[in-house]
mmCIF file of all heavy atoms in Angstrom:
data_model
loop_
_atom_site.group_PDB
_atom_site.id
_atom_site.type_symbol
_atom_site.label_atom_id
_atom_site.label_comp_id
_atom_site.label_asym_id
_atom_site.label_seq_id
_atom_site.Cartn_x
_atom_site.Cartn_y
_atom_site.Cartn_z
ATOM 1 N N THR A 93 28.084 -5.384 10.342
ATOM 2 C CA THR A 93 28.448 -4.206 11.125
ATOM 3 C C THR A 93 27.675 -2.992 10.591
ATOM 4 O O THR A 93 27.742 -1.900 11.149
ATOM 5 C CB THR A 93 29.930 -3.939 11.061
ATOM 6 O OG1 THR A 93 30.315 -3.617 9.728
ATOM 7 C CG2 THR A 93 30.720 -5.162 11.515
ATOM 8 N N LYS A 94 26.955 -3.146 9.458
ATOM 9 C CA LYS A 94 26.153 -2.069 8.904
ATOM 10 C C LYS A 94 24.652 -2.168 9.362
ATOM 11 O O LYS A 94 24.278 -3.246 9.940
ATOM 12 C CB LYS A 94 26.218 -2.160 7.378
ATOM 13 C CG LYS A 94 27.607 -2.223 6.761
ATOM 14 C CD LYS A 94 28.389 -1.018 7.058
ATOM 15 C CE LYS A 94 29.762 -0.992 6.403
ATOM 16 N NZ LYS A 94 30.592 0.073 6.811
ATOM 17 N N THR A 95 23.810 -1.197 9.022
ATOM 18 C CA THR A 95 22.436 -1.282 9.366
ATOM 19 C C THR A 95 21.647 -2.263 8.430
ATOM 20 O O THR A 95 20.681 -2.883 8.940
ATOM 21 C CB THR A 95 21.713 0.081 9.325
ATOM 22 O OG1 THR A 95 21.862 0.587 7.948
ATOM 23 C CG2 THR A 95 22.328 1.036 10.292
ATOM 24 N N ASN A 96 22.099 -2.428 7.216
ATOM 25 C CA ASN A 96 21.477 -3.319 6.230
ATOM 26 C C ASN A 96 19.991 -3.003 5.931
ATOM 27 O O ASN A 96 19.322 -2.438 6.696
ATOM 28 C CB ASN A 96 21.667 -4.771 6.687
ATOM 29 C CG ASN A 96 23.148 -5.135 6.714
ATOM 30 O OD1 ASN A 96 23.922 -4.769 5.858
ATOM 31 N ND2 ASN A 96 23.506 -5.950 7.704
ATOM 32 N N PHE A 97 19.603 -3.465 4.802
ATOM 33 C CA PHE A 97 18.195 -3.274 4.318
ATOM 34 C C PHE A 97 17.785 -1.804 4.578
ATOM 35 O O PHE A 97 16.855 -1.498 5.358
ATOM 36 C CB PHE A 97 17.241 -4.287 4.909
ATOM 37 C CG PHE A 97 17.522 -5.667 4.511
ATOM 38 C CD1 PHE A 97 17.887 -6.618 5.491
ATOM 39 C CD2 PHE A 97 17.401 -6.072 3.229
ATOM 40 C CE1 PHE A 97 18.222 -7.912 5.096
ATOM 41 C CE2 PHE A 97 17.688 -7.372 2.829
ATOM 42 C CZ PHE A 97 18.081 -8.293 3.802
ATOM 43 N N VAL A 98 18.482 -0.867 3.936
ATOM 44 C CA VAL A 98 18.331 0.558 4.270
ATOM 45 C C VAL A 98 16.897 1.072 3.905
ATOM 46 O O VAL A 98 16.214 0.473 3.030
ATOM 47 C CB VAL A 98 19.350 1.419 3.513
ATOM 48 C CG1 VAL A 98 20.782 1.026 3.918
ATOM 49 C CG2 VAL A 98 19.220 1.356 1.986
ATOM 50 N N GLN A 99 16.535 2.088 4.565
ATOM 51 C CA GLN A 99 15.209 2.757 4.350
ATOM 52 C C GLN A 99 15.551 4.236 3.955
ATOM 53 O O GLN A 99 16.542 4.718 4.383
ATOM 54 C CB GLN A 99 14.380 2.729 5.583
ATOM 55 C CG GLN A 99 14.155 1.309 6.081
ATOM 56 C CD GLN A 99 12.774 0.843 5.939
ATOM 57 O OE1 GLN A 99 11.798 1.601 5.899
ATOM 58 N NE2 GLN A 99 12.599 -0.465 5.905
ATOM 59 N N ILE A 100 14.733 4.821 3.175
ATOM 60 C CA ILE A 100 14.943 6.180 2.684
ATOM 61 C C ILE A 100 14.137 7.102 3.627
ATOM 62 O O ILE A 100 12.899 7.012 3.740
ATOM 63 C CB ILE A 100 14.455 6.339 1.292
ATOM 64 C CG1 ILE A 100 15.127 5.335 0.317
ATOM 65 C CG2 ILE A 100 14.698 7.769 0.803
ATOM 66 C CD1 ILE A 100 16.615 5.338 0.350
ATOM 67 N N PRO A 101 14.848 8.020 4.391
ATOM 68 C CA PRO A 101 14.200 8.905 5.363
ATOM 69 C C PRO A 101 13.238 9.910 4.647
ATOM 70 O O PRO A 101 13.468 10.227 3.470
ATOM 71 C CB PRO A 101 15.331 9.580 6.039
ATOM 72 C CG PRO A 101 16.477 9.506 5.138
ATOM 73 C CD PRO A 101 16.299 8.251 4.280
ATOM 74 N N GLU A 102 12.355 10.416 5.422
ATOM 75 C CA GLU A 102 11.452 11.478 4.904
ATOM 76 C C GLU A 102 12.267 12.742 4.601
ATOM 77 O O GLU A 102 13.318 12.944 5.213
ATOM 78 C CB GLU A 102 10.410 11.842 5.976
ATOM 79 C CG GLU A 102 9.408 10.710 6.207
ATOM 80 C CD GLU A 102 8.487 11.148 7.368
ATOM 81 O OE1 GLU A 102 7.633 12.033 7.230
ATOM 82 O OE2 GLU A 102 8.577 10.542 8.478
ATOM 83 N N GLY A 103 11.843 13.494 3.635
ATOM 84 C CA GLY A 103 12.592 14.741 3.243
ATOM 85 C C GLY A 103 13.678 14.461 2.308
ATOM 86 O O GLY A 103 13.736 13.453 1.549
ATOM 87 N N GLU A 104 14.703 15.379 2.236
ATOM 88 C CA GLU A 104 15.807 15.304 1.377
ATOM 89 C C GLU A 104 16.880 14.390 1.960
ATOM 90 O O GLU A 104 17.221 14.498 3.160
ATOM 91 C CB GLU A 104 16.354 16.728 1.115
ATOM 92 C CG GLU A 104 15.429 17.585 0.330
ATOM 93 C CD GLU A 104 16.029 18.909 -0.076
ATOM 94 O OE1 GLU A 104 17.274 19.018 -0.140
ATOM 95 O OE2 GLU A 104 15.284 19.927 -0.254
ATOM 96 N N SER A 105 17.459 13.603 1.100
ATOM 97 C CA SER A 105 18.616 12.790 1.535
ATOM 98 C C SER A 105 19.429 12.457 0.272
ATOM 99 O O SER A 105 19.062 12.718 -0.824
ATOM 100 C CB SER A 105 18.152 11.440 2.225
ATOM 101 O OG SER A 105 17.368 10.725 1.309
ATOM 102 N N THR A 106 20.633 11.863 0.503
ATOM 103 C CA THR A 106 21.570 11.494 -0.513
ATOM 104 C C THR A 106 21.962 10.059 -0.298
ATOM 105 O O THR A 106 22.214 9.707 0.867
ATOM 106 C CB THR A 106 22.778 12.456 -0.551
ATOM 107 O OG1 THR A 106 22.322 13.828 -0.698
ATOM 108 C CG2 THR A 106 23.714 12.078 -1.633
ATOM 109 N N VAL A 107 22.130 9.317 -1.359
ATOM 110 C CA VAL A 107 22.615 7.942 -1.206
ATOM 111 C C VAL A 107 23.909 7.887 -1.992
ATOM 112 O O VAL A 107 23.930 8.241 -3.151
ATOM 113 C CB VAL A 107 21.617 6.871 -1.745
ATOM 114 C CG1 VAL A 107 22.201 5.465 -1.546
ATOM 115 C CG2 VAL A 107 20.277 7.031 -1.105
ATOM 116 N N LEU A 108 24.989 7.459 -1.322
ATOM 117 C CA LEU A 108 26.317 7.329 -1.933
ATOM 118 C C LEU A 108 26.526 5.887 -2.168
ATOM 119 O O LEU A 108 26.488 5.034 -1.222
ATOM 120 C CB LEU A 108 27.393 7.902 -1.025
ATOM 121 C CG LEU A 108 27.343 9.345 -0.670
ATOM 122 C CD1 LEU A 108 28.492 9.716 0.247
ATOM 123 C CD2 LEU A 108 27.434 10.180 -1.938
ATOM 124 N N PHE A 109 26.848 5.494 -3.399
ATOM 125 C CA PHE A 109 27.119 4.080 -3.787
ATOM 126 C C PHE A 109 28.605 3.957 -4.068
ATOM 127 O O PHE A 109 29.133 4.784 -4.764
ATOM 128 C CB PHE A 109 26.341 3.681 -4.986
ATOM 129 C CG PHE A 109 24.871 3.545 -4.760
ATOM 130 C CD1 PHE A 109 24.044 4.661 -4.993
ATOM 131 C CD2 PHE A 109 24.332 2.345 -4.344
ATOM 132 C CE1 PHE A 109 22.692 4.520 -4.736
ATOM 133 C CE2 PHE A 109 22.976 2.205 -4.135
ATOM 134 C CZ PHE A 109 22.142 3.266 -4.323
ATOM 135 N N TYR A 110 29.254 2.936 -3.542
ATOM 136 C CA TYR A 110 30.679 2.655 -3.803
ATOM 137 C C TYR A 110 30.692 1.403 -4.604
ATOM 138 O O TYR A 110 30.559 0.293 -4.110
ATOM 139 C CB TYR A 110 31.421 2.596 -2.440
ATOM 140 C CG TYR A 110 31.338 3.839 -1.648
ATOM 141 C CD1 TYR A 110 30.387 3.890 -0.666
ATOM 142 C CD2 TYR A 110 32.178 4.880 -1.874
ATOM 143 C CE1 TYR A 110 30.214 5.049 0.109
ATOM 144 C CE2 TYR A 110 32.032 6.053 -1.089
ATOM 145 C CZ TYR A 110 31.040 6.152 -0.132
ATOM 146 O OH TYR A 110 30.921 7.236 0.650
ATOM 147 N N VAL A 111 30.860 1.500 -5.888
ATOM 148 C CA VAL A 111 30.745 0.398 -6.800
ATOM 149 C C VAL A 111 31.846 0.579 -7.944
ATOM 150 O O VAL A 111 32.466 1.513 -8.010
ATOM 151 C CB VAL A 111 29.349 0.339 -7.539
ATOM 152 C CG1 VAL A 111 28.250 -0.004 -6.463
ATOM 153 C CG2 VAL A 111 29.009 1.685 -8.177
ATOM 154 N N ASP A 112 31.969 -0.446 -8.816
ATOM 155 C CA ASP A 112 32.871 -0.382 -9.931
ATOM 156 C C ASP A 112 32.448 0.803 -10.816
ATOM 157 O O ASP A 112 31.301 1.162 -10.914
ATOM 158 C CB ASP A 112 32.714 -1.716 -10.714
ATOM 159 C CG ASP A 112 33.658 -1.681 -11.992
ATOM 160 O OD1 ASP A 112 34.839 -1.916 -11.761
ATOM 161 O OD2 ASP A 112 33.138 -1.432 -13.019
ATOM 162 N N ASN A 113 33.504 1.390 -11.502
ATOM 163 C CA ASN A 113 33.191 2.569 -12.332
ATOM 164 C C ASN A 113 32.280 2.283 -13.491
ATOM 165 O O ASN A 113 31.710 3.175 -14.071
ATOM 166 C CB ASN A 113 34.505 3.258 -12.753
ATOM 167 C CG ASN A 113 35.428 2.416 -13.513
ATOM 168 O OD1 ASN A 113 34.999 1.313 -13.870
ATOM 169 N ND2 ASN A 113 36.602 2.870 -13.670
#
Side-chain angles (χ1 to χ4, degrees):
T93 65
K94 309 294 184 188
T95 59
N96 296 322
F97 296 115
V98 302
Q99 306 248 333
I100 306 304
E102 293 175 69
E104 293 183 27
S105 63
T106 302
V107 183
L108 299 177
F109 291 91
Y110 302 94
V111 292
D112 180 79
N113 59 9

